[in-house]
Amino acid sequence: MDIVEIKNLTFKYPQQEVQNFNNFNLKIKKGEWLAIIGHNGSGKSTLVRLIDGLLAPESGEITVSGIKLTPESVWDVRSKIGMVFQNPDNQFVGANVEDDVAFGLENAAIPRKEMLIRVRQALERVKMWEFADHEPVRLSGGQKQRVALAGIIALKPEIIILDEATSMLDPEGRQAVLEIIRELNQVEHLTVISITHDIDEASNAQRVVVLDDGKIVQDDIPAKIFSHGASLVKIGLEPPFSEKLKEELVKQGIEVPDEYLTKEGMVDWLWQLFSKQ
Amino acid sequence: MAMAIIFKAVNYMYQPNTPFEQQALENISVEIPTGSYTALIGHTGSGKSTFLQHLNGLLRPTSGVIQVGKQAITPETKNKQLGELRKHVGIVFQFPEAQLFEETVIKDIAFAPKNFGKSEEEAETIARRMAQQVGLDDELLSKSPFELSGGQMRRVAIAGILAMEPEILVLDEPTAGLDPQGRLEMMEMFKRLKEEQNLTVVLVTHQMDDVAKYADNVIVLEKGKLIASGTPSEIFAQPNWLVEHHLALPKAGEFALEFEKKTGYKFSTLPLTEVSLAQQIASLLHGGGVHHG
C-alpha cells in the first residue's frame, strides 16, 4: 500500500520564474524507509514541505495515508506526519524537556492523564526520561534531536520526515538518533522519509531517490546508488569511504572491483588480494 | 607580524559568585603556533566556544593570560584596548550568513574595513578582492545578499571577515549545513587562503576526516580542560584513549585498524587519510611491510 502518492505535481515559489516541480510523480510505500538525496537547491526540502502541506502546489494531487491533501484536510494530514528539522536549537518551545514533549499533545487536546503517560513513554523511548526536568539549552545537539523525536513519537504519527536532522550532530549523537529511527521503522513499521547528505543515514534506507532540479534522476536500492563513487558528491551525497579508497588504490596501480563494497566487504576483498600474493 | 597565541593558566567562570557559577575553562595552558592550521575538537559543553571567544577578547579570562602577538588579554584588559587586536583576529561564527544585513553583497563585505577606518573607495576595492578570493562572481556583488543561495550567503559572510585582513582566521564549524560539494569547496578554499595569505587558522570541527586532512596541530578539550594537544598523528595514535574520550578516528584510521585485525598485516604508522592508506596498502602489497599473520 502506498502511504504517500504524488501525482502530476507542479509547484514554483512566488518570486521565482522557473518551475521547481513540473509534472512530478512519486509513490512511497507504507513502512518503507526512503532516503531523498540531491545537492542544495535540488528541491528536497520543498518536496517534503509540499507533502506536509507547509507549501501548496499549483496543480496536481498529493495523498497521504488515504487523505487527499486540501486546505480543509491539511490538519488531518499533518497529524499523520512528524517532522524533524536540521537545527536542534530552533525546535524548542518548552521550558524543560518534559514540557517540550507535552506541547504537541496539549495542542492536540489530549487529556492530561493520557498526556503524562505518553510523554513518559516517548522520553523513555529516546532514552531521555532521566533528563525530563532539564532545560533544553543544557543538552547536546544529539540529545536535543532525541527530545524533538520524542515530541513526535508522543503524537503517534505514521510517517517521520527527517530534514537533514542528523547533519549538525557529532558522530555519537548521529548514531543515537539513527538507532531510534531504525527501531521505529523496523519494530513499529513507521514510514521514514529522510533527506540527507550522509552515507550512513542513506544506507539505512531501503530505497534512495536522487533529485536534481525538481526531477527524479535515479530511484534505486542504496548499493546501486553508492557504486557511483566520487561522482556522488555532484548529486549531493558524501561518497562512501570504500569508494574513496578504491579511487586512491587505482592511483597506486591496484585493480579494484566495480561493484559497491561496504567497509566490511572492502576489508574482505583486500584480505583476498593479500592472500593471493 | 608574528601572531602566536599563548594561553597561560586560563580559567573562565560564567556567572562567578552566584548560585549559577559554572567553570567553562579550567587552567588551560596551550600554544597555537603562528602559521599553524589548528583544529579544536571536543564535545558539546567541552568549552570550545568559550575558548574561541577568548581569542579576540570577546570574553576575558577570570584568571590567567592570553597572549596574542604583542597584546596580552587579562581579567583587567579593557574593551577599548582590544580594538587593534580585533583587526587581526577574524572569527567566523556558526551560520555567519545570519548576520548579513546590508542592501548589497559588496556593501556587506565592505562594512568591516569601512568600520576600521578605510575610505569608501578603499573598502570597496578590498571587498571586490575578497569576493573574488571566496569565489563569488562579479554579477552577484550588486545583488541583495538575501537573494543568494545558502552556500553563497556563507561565502559573503566569510568575505566580510577576510576584508578585515586578519592574520588569524577562526572558523566555528564553517561547513555545517552545506551539501558535500559545498563542504569540500569551502574546506579547499580555507586551505588555499591560508597558504596564499599566510594565515593562522583555528578550526572548530566534529569532522575527524577534516582534522586529518587539513590540520597540522590539534587541541582537545573536555569539560573545560585541555586533555591533549599535538599533531594529528600524535592525537590519533592511541585508539583506546580516543574511545575513552568518545572521540572518533578518521575513517581511514578506523578502516586501517579493521584491516590489521583481519589480515594480520601491520602498518608502520596508522594511516589517517585515504591517500596515505592507499599508499601504505600498495607498499605492503609489494612486500614493504612486516607480516605478523
Side-chain angles (χ1 to χ4, degrees), chain B residues 74-94:
Chain B
T74 69
E76 290 76 35
T77 307
K78 299 276 172 290
N79 239 329
K80 60 181 180 206
Q81 296 170 268
L82 293 170
E84 190 58 29
L85 173 73
R86 288 188 180 143
K87 288 185 208 168
H88 298 298
V89 184
I91 304 189
V92 179
F93 287 104
Q94 277 185 40

Side-chain angles (χ1 to χ4, degrees), chain B:
Chain B
M1 185 166 66
M3 292 274 283
I5 303 167
I6 301 165
F7 278 60
K8 283 182 211 156
V10 171
N11 283 287
Y12 185 79
M13 201 87 89
Y14 282 105
Q15 298 176 281
N17 309 317
T18 74
F20 307 106
E21 181 177 283
Q22 198 188 4
Q23 180 133 26
L25 293 180
E26 203 176 325
N27 198 20
I28 303 257
S29 295
V30 72
E31 179 179 354
I32 298 174
T34 313
S36 70
Y37 195 131
T38 295
L40 182 59
I41 60 178
H43 292 282
T44 310
S46 61
K48 292 182 310 244
S49 11
T50 309
F51 185 96
L52 283 193
Q53 292 177 69
H54 279 79
L55 295 176
N56 73 350
L58 280 176
L59 293 177
R60 259 87 78 196
T62 311
S63 69
V65 186
I66 297 113
Q67 187 79 36
V68 185
K70 279 181 242 154
Q71 176 74 54
I73 308 171
T74 69
E76 290 76 35
T77 307
K78 299 276 172 290
N79 239 329
K80 60 181 180 206
Q81 296 170 268
L82 293 170
E84 190 58 29
L85 173 73
R86 288 188 180 143
K87 288 185 208 168
H88 298 298
V89 184
I91 304 189
V92 179
F93 287 104
Q94 277 185 40
F95 298 96
E97 59 275 19
Q99 294 162 34
L100 300 176
F101 66 99
E102 281 280 12
E103 287 160 39
T104 64
V105 168
I106 189 86
K107 277 191 188 172
D108 217 303
I109 304 175
F111 180 79
K114 241 169 70 185
N115 207 24
F116 283 127
K118 303 273 191 215
S119 73
E120 188 113 4
E121 208 171 313
E122 284 171 316
E124 195 157 303
T125 312
I126 296 171
R128 282 187 192 284
R129 202 169 72 234
M130 296 309 159
Q132 206 174 16
Q133 291 270 0
V134 300
L136 287 168
D137 287 338
D138 267 353
E139 63 195 74
L140 296 178
L141 299 185
S142 53
K143 285 199 175 177
S144 156
F146 305 101
E147 287 174 52
L148 310 184
S149 74
Q152 287 169 333
M153 280 167 79
R154 188 159 310 176
R155 281 166 199 267
V156 173
I158 291 166
I161 301 288
L162 289 172
M164 295 160 48
E165 306 187 291
E167 286 159 66
I168 299 168
L169 182 64
V170 182
L171 306 161
D172 189 0
E173 295 192 54
T175 62
L178 298 182
D179 66 15
Q181 178 80 29
R183 261 193 330 241
L184 184 65
E185 284 172 9
M186 192 133 310
M187 290 308 293
E188 291 294 321
M189 177 183 94
F190 293 132
K191 183 181 167 199
R192 181 173 50 76
L193 289 171
K194 179 191 180 303
E195 282 159 12
E196 287 173 3
Q197 305 188 13
N198 223 354
L199 298 168
T200 302
V201 172
V202 181
L203 169 77
V204 174
T205 184
H206 288 305
Q207 311 278 341
M208 298 304 162
D209 286 3
D210 285 345
V211 175
K213 190 169 172 192
Y214 298 105
D216 49 31
N217 184 38
V218 187
I219 292 175
V220 192
L221 296 182
E222 185 183 83
K223 295 188 181 131
K225 296 197 188 78
L226 175 80
I227 58 165
S229 73
T231 63
S233 17
E234 286 165 355
I235 298 295
F236 294 123
Q238 295 173 48
N240 292 336
W241 182 87
L242 293 169
V243 172
E244 245 170 71
H245 294 280
H246 303 274
L247 297 167
L249 267 176
K251 290 199 191 77
E254 252 173 53
F255 186 94
L257 290 183
E258 276 180 43
F259 172 84
E260 286 184 344
K261 211 163 100 191
K262 178 105 189 181
T263 62
Y265 280 90
K266 201 100 186 118
F267 294 112
S268 49
T269 53
L270 186 67
L272 298 176
T273 61
E274 46 271 24
V275 177
S276 94
L277 176 60
Q279 283 167 351
Q280 291 212 44
I281 288 174
S283 95
L284 281 180
L285 256 183
H286 303 130
V290 191
H291 194 194
H292 291 262

